[in-house]
Amino acid sequence: HTCTRTQAIIVMQGSTVHDLVKAVEKAVVRRCSKNGLTTYISWRSVWRNHWLVYGQQKLTDRNAKIVSYGIGNNAELSFQKKLRRENKAKRPKRNTFGGP
C-alpha cells in the first residue's frame, strides 16, 4: 500500500510504545486520506496480526519507554507478521442460528 511506505512520525523522547503505536496509526490514516484512500483500517486486526518492530526487536510491552528499546531520532520501524502457534487450541465456532 502507498499508505504504509516510509514516513516521518514525531513522538517525544519520554514516550511509551503505546504513544508510538497511536502516532503510527494517525500517520498511516493521514497518509491514506491524503492519497485519496478512504478505506477503513481495523487497527485492532492490524495489531492482533502484526508486531511493530525496531531492528530485530518486537515492541511487545506497550507501557515501556521507547528509549528502553534504543529508539531515537531517525529510527526505522516496520511491521512484522505475527507467527501463529500450530498447537494453539481453536475456539469452537458459535452457532449463529440459535439451534443446538
Side-chain angles (χ1 to χ4, degrees), residues 33-88:
S33 63
K34 180 181 171 185
N35 292 335
L37 303 171
T38 57
T39 57
Y40 173 75
I41 298 173
S42 172
W43 288 108
R44 183 176 177 192
S45 176
V46 169
W47 299 126
R48 187 181 324 125
N49 295 304
H50 296 83
W51 291 110
L52 193 58
V53 178
Y54 172 65
Q56 297 297 320
Q57 278 186 306
K58 297 173 185 168
L59 308 183
T60 56
D61 183 5
R62 293 281 178 103
N63 296 319
K65 301 283 184 186
I66 59 174
V67 293
S68 69
Y69 286 102
I71 299 172
N73 291 338
N74 299 319
E76 289 193 19
L77 303 171
S78 59
F79 291 101
Q80 180 181 347
K81 184 89 169 153
K82 287 185 179 180
L83 298 177
R84 294 185 61 176
R85 290 188 225 146
E86 294 296 325
N87 60 356
K88 186 176 177 181

